[in-house]
Amino acid sequence: MSFTIQNGLLPVESGYETADVQVVDDCISAIAPNNPPFNSPAYQGGDRGGETVIDGKNKLLLPGFVNAHTHSSEMWQRGIIPPLPLELWIAELYDFTPLEPEQVYLSALGTAVETLLSGGTSVVDHLVLIPGQELETIAAAVRAYQEIGIRAFIGPLIQDESLTAGMPSGDSGIEHAAYIRSTKTTLELMETAIKQFHNPEKGVNMLLAPTGIQLCSDALFEGCIELSDRYNLCRHAHLLETAAQKQLAYEKYGCSAVEHLQIIGYLSPRTSLAHCVWLDDSDMAIMAETGATVVHNPLSNLRLGSGIAPILKYRQAGVNVSFGCDGAASNDSQDLLEAIKIGSILHNITDLDYHQWITPRQSVEMASLGGAKGLNLADEMGSLTVGKKADLVLYDLTNLSLLPRTDPIGLLILGRPTNAVDSVWVNGKQIVAEGKVKTIDVDALRRELFDRSEWTSKRQSQTVSEIEAHYRKVMNLQGYS
C-alpha cells in the first residue's frame, strides 16, 4: 500500500511550507514541495496506479506523539477517587481494581481511542495485572491494541513488596506482609510474557517495568535488567513521584534513588522513568550521563499533589523529556494534547527567565521525537524524515478551535483543540479518517463502557482507613484535620 498526502502544511525551520509526503509500505519515502509526479492532474484525489492521494490542503501534518506513560485499566475508576496523595490514592485504586480481562480489553481500547484522537500514535501502557490472571491480562490488552492498530509498548506493572512498603517507616518499625508473588515467580512470568507477546512487527512491544523503588527489591530490578539486556528490550518505572518516595529512598539505600539505580545498572538510553518530581541537581546529572528519559506527567502530578517536576532544569541539563497522560484515574483523561499544554506552560511559573520557557515547537518535538528516544526508536520514528515509520497525524486547520489563522503549532499546543485530528496513520495504515476511528466500532465501545459501569459517588476503601494514620504521621500531617 502506498499513498501521498498532498499539499499538507509542514513545519520547517523558517516557518511552514506546503509539501507532498509519499508513503510506500510503512515508511516515508519522499517529502517534496511541488513535486511534479505528486502534483500532476492525474493525481488530484482518488486512486491512481495503486497509489491513494490524500488531500492535505489546510491541514497540518506532524509526526505522531507518544503517550509515554499510562495505566489503561484505571479507566474504570476515573472521576471517583477523592483528592488524595499518591500513597493513599493507590490504596483505594487497588481496593477496586477491575478483576476481569474483558474490562482490561475495553479500557485499553478506550485509552487507544483517546490517544489517537489527541495526536498520539504510540502508547506506553504500564499495565496493572489481575492476580492469578496475569497472562490473560496482558493478552486482553494486546488484543485491544492490535485490533485498533495503535503502536503499543506494554510494560506489565510488577512489584515484589506489599503496599505498605511504599511509605517511609519513620520510627514505627512497621512490618510488611509478604507480596502475593515471589521475585523469582514474577521474573519467570515476565520471560513467559516476552516470549508470548513481544512482536514489534505486529505493533506490540514488551517492556520490563517494575513499578518503582518504593515497591521493588534490588533483586527484582536486577532481574529486569538481565531480561531487558538478553531480549534487547526497553525498561520503564516510576521514579520519585512524591516527597514520601524521596524520604523512603534514603531509608532504604542511604542515598538518592537515582544514585542507587545507577549503581545497580538500571539507568540507560533504553530506560524511561515516569514523573521524576523530586530529583536534585546531582540526580539530573546522572540522568543526563546515563541517557535515561524523563516522562513528564503534569496532570497526575497536580491531581495527586505530588509536585511540579523541574522540567526546565532537565532540559538545561541535557536530559531527554517526553510527555505522558498517566492513568485515567489520576488524570482523569487520556487527552494527550491537554497533557502537553499543561506540561509546557506550567513551567513558566518555575523560572522567571522566559528564554528557558518551552515553545510550542519544542513541545511538539518532546512529544514526538522525545517519546521515540525514550523507547530507543529515534532512528525509526518521531519526526517527518524520509526512511522513518509513517506514524503521521493530520490536523484540520479549518476547525473552529484552530481559528483564526495565526501560528498552526501555537494554536495546537497553546489552545484547546477540540475534534481537531482529521487523520492518523500508524505504520503506514490509516487508523483515523475524517475524525473517526476506522478500525473499531467506537459507538459499540461506548455502549460497553456504559453498560458495564454505574453511577456512584461514595465508596469506602478499607486499605486507606488502615494506613492513613501512619501516612499522616510520617509526613508530619498529624496536626491537621
Side-chain angles (χ1 to χ4, degrees), residues 220-290:
L220 185 60
F221 273 109
E222 290 163 354
C224 287
I225 294 168
E226 192 277 328
L227 285 171
S228 69
D229 288 346
R230 181 158 27 118
Y231 291 100
N232 193 30
L233 303 179
C234 288
R235 307 166 192 158
H236 190 63
H238 300 97
L239 178 62
L240 294 183
E241 184 174 354
T242 66
Q245 290 175 8
K246 183 171 184 176
Q247 182 179 334
L248 176 66
Y250 280 94
E251 281 188 6
K252 290 182 73 169
Y253 311 127
C255 63
S256 80
V258 177
E259 184 179 352
H260 185 74
L261 291 180
Q262 181 191 35
I263 289 169
I264 65 174
Y266 195 76
L267 305 181
S268 78
R270 290 189 287 122
T271 304
S272 61
L273 299 157
H275 302 290
C276 298
V277 176
W278 293 90
L279 276 64
D280 58 28
D281 290 349
S282 60
D283 293 330
M284 294 179 202
I286 292 172
M287 294 286 285
E289 177 187 344
T290 58

Side-chain angles (χ1 to χ4, degrees), residues 446-460:
R446 289 193 301 107
R447 289 193 297 270
E448 284 277 1
L449 291 171
F450 186 92
D451 291 344
R452 287 174 175 265
S453 55
E454 60 184 21
W455 306 120
T456 182
S457 61
K458 293 182 180 180
R459 63 185 188 184
Q460 186 65 41

Side-chain angles (χ1 to χ4, degrees), residues 23 52 111 118 126 178 288-289 299 327 355 368 391 422 429 438:
V23 173
T52 300
T111 295
S118 57
H126 207 177
E289 177 187 344
L299 288 159
H355 287 165
S368 51
D391 288 12
D422 178 86
K429 178 183 178 183
K438 297 175 56 177

Side-chain angles (χ1 to χ4, degrees), residues 197-213:
F197 299 112
H198 183 64
N199 195 340
E201 295 302 313
K202 293 189 176 180
V204 175
N205 304 263
M206 297 300 295
L207 311 179
L208 276 304
T211 183
I213 62 103

Side-chain angles (χ1 to χ4, degrees), residues 5 32 72 101 113 145 160 222 227 235 252 265 274 288 322 378 392 398 425 435 439 445-447 474:
I5 300 170
S72 63
V113 168
Y145 292 135
D160 60 353
E222 290 163 354
L227 285 171
R235 307 166 192 158
K252 290 182 73 169
S322 60
L392 308 170
T398 69
W425 293 264
T439 48
L445 172 63
R446 289 193 301 107
R447 289 193 297 270
V474 298

Side-chain angles (χ1 to χ4, degrees), residues 32-52:
N34 303 314
N35 188 305
F38 298 168
N39 285 323
S40 64
Y43 280 87
Q44 296 300 314
D47 183 273
R48 173 93 175 177
E51 180 174 275
T52 300

